[in-house]
Amino acid sequence: MKKESSHVLEVGGEGPLLVIHGGAGRRLHEMSPEQRAETDAALARAVDAGYALLSEGASALEAVIAAVHVMEDEPCFNAGRGAALTLDGRAEMDSCVMLGDGSTGAACGLTTARHPVDVARAVMERTPHVLFSSPSTKRLEEWGIEQVDPSYFVTERREAQLAEFKELEAARQESAQAQARAQAAEDARHGTVGAVARDAAGRIAAATSTGGITGQQPGRVGDSPICGAGTYADQRTVAVSCTGTGEKFIQEVAAHQVSARVAFCGQWLADAAGAMLDAVDGRGGSGGVIAVPATGAGAIGFTDGAQMNYAWAWRNERVTHE
Ligand code: ASP
């Protein structure tokens, strides 16, 4: 029998609206009070940065970029500074932006861009292409991208996570206890940041930025930079950013699926988001989604057992949830 597992809430309403996520999969009960406070404060800074721009009449694109910039600078999120590390201890980051008019840009395998989302924007605005793999440092320079030494992305927290992942991988088969710990480490491997917005002119945009998953094989690319999988926007329907088990989100063409359910099945956005998450769950994946439609309330959802950092701002309301 099909398992109905996702949790979806509706947020905000007409007019400028910003929803952000700081990844799903974290085990909140294992976060220290200090880590929770750090995450909460960072979500607040990010949503405030983006919503301030929307309030001044800036575009949805500017708002999602501003919100993602803040999260990319925070070591507590799996994007930019706090990116998860590959098996060989490096950060390989992916990003994507998409506007309601169909404009889109994405990049994967980034190792020096301080703000990977800027590379996605440069691909969209400065090239006739949609997706770049490991663009050279020279090309990033030409695009005006701020670059840092790759060691900037190797934080103690992520190194410890990688070491634990490797140790538990080795022990995985050995005992039931190790398997339980391995599941906990599995949950902590994920992250990703994303933002979706609608501006005063009604334009919508989505942006996603990630370090992938801790201990991923070098060269592995998840759903985040893939238009339609981890990120999608269509002015006729909705802007979407996903987080979670990337392989499963790709297999479900998750972000586009939310849009397609609204467009072709006439589903309410919250139902469409929930049905997509159930489908991901049905494949053994987990994670979350945020979505802002061209008109009406936005949606925030996550699969059962997953926990998601998110925040949203609309009119005088601002909510953060770490
Ligand atoms: N979806 C991301 C990826 O698979 C990771 C995550 O959101 O946790 O690369």
Side-chain angles (χ1 to χ4, degrees):
M1 205 216 291
K2 186 170 171 292
K3 192 172 136 207
E4 296 295 340
S5 54
S6 57
H7 307 275
V8 184
L9 36 143
E10 288 192 346
V11 297
E14 294 304 334
L17 171 64
L18 175 67
V19 184
I20 66 172
H21 70 73
R26 243 169 224 264
R27 293 162 64 89
L28 294 184
H29 55 277
E30 286 181 2
M31 282 168 78
S32 65
E34 291 75 26
Q35 282 174 330
R36 293 186 74 145
E38 179 195 359
T39 304
D40 192 58
L43 286 168
R45 278 196 296 279
V47 78
D48 287 351
Y51 197 73
L53 288 173
L54 285 184
S55 306
E56 290 161 10
S59 68
L61 172 65
E62 296 298 345
V64 295
I65 294 278
V68 169
H69 272 178
V70 172
M71 293 188 281
E72 286 176 333
D73 282 340
E74 295 290 343
C76 59
F77 298 119
N78 174 13
R81 175 88 168 106
L85 303 178
T86 63
L87 265 183
D88 58 8
R90 290 173 4 124
E92 289 180 1
M93 298 163 287
D94 310 326
S95 59
C96 183
V97 291
M98 188 161 185
L99 311 185
D101 69 5
S103 309
T104 185
C108 58
L110 301 169
T111 56
T112 60
R114 176 176 166 193
H115 294 122
V117 76
D118 288 348
V119 184
R121 183 181 190 167
V123 171
M124 177 176 79
E125 293 179 342
R126 304 174 73 126
T127 82
H129 307 301
V130 161
L131 174 62
F132 273 70
S133 166
S134 313
S136 67
T137 53
K138 184 164 170 289
R139 189 180 292 264
L140 294 180
E141 252 169 57
E142 284 163 11
W143 290 344
I145 301 297
E146 182 180 352
Q147 296 187 70
V148 291
D149 188 87
S151 61
Y152 166 84
F153 302 107
V154 183
T155 63
E156 270 178 32
R157 201 181 290 182
R158 294 295 180 194
E159 279 190 311
Q161 250 175 30
L162 179 61
E164 189 191 10
F165 171 75
K166 285 181 173 174
E167 188 191 316
L168 289 169
E169 267 305 289
R172 191 189 277 273
Q173 303 305 328
E174 284 176 18
S175 73
Q177 201 190 7
Q179 277 181 25
R181 281 179 63 210
Q183 184 57 49
E186 177 65 31
D187 291 342
R189 293 170 73 201
H190 293 279
T192 298
V193 306
V196 285
R198 180 176 60 230
D199 60 30
R203 294 167 299 192
I204 55 173
T208 311
S209 178
T210 189
I213 55 177
T214 299
Q216 68 185 11
Q217 296 186 13
R220 177 261 183 192
V221 178
D223 59 316
S224 309
I226 298 179
C227 174
T231 312
Y232 191 69
D234 184 335
Q235 199 61 41
R236 293 167 296 185
T237 54
V238 62
V240 182
S241 172
C242 300
T243 172
T245 327
E247 284 72 9
K248 310 298 179 190
F249 280 77
I250 292 172
Q251 286 162 340
E252 280 301 322
V253 199
H256 181 266
Q257 182 181 141
V258 174
S259 168
R261 284 179 175 279
V262 171
F264 308 134
C265 308
Q267 283 184 324
W268 288 107
L269 176 56
D271 293 340
M276 177 279 284
L277 290 167
D278 286 346
V280 167
D281 181 86
R283 287 183 183 271
S286 68
V289 64
I290 54 173
V292 164
T295 54
I300 298 173
F302 41 92
T303 55
D304 192 37
Q307 288 163 314
M308 187 158 78
N309 300 310
Y310 62 80
W312 56 274
W314 178 69
R315 297 191 178 166
N316 295 327
E317 294 178 68
R318 190 258 256 158
V319 173
T320 59
H321 177 89
E322 84 297 338

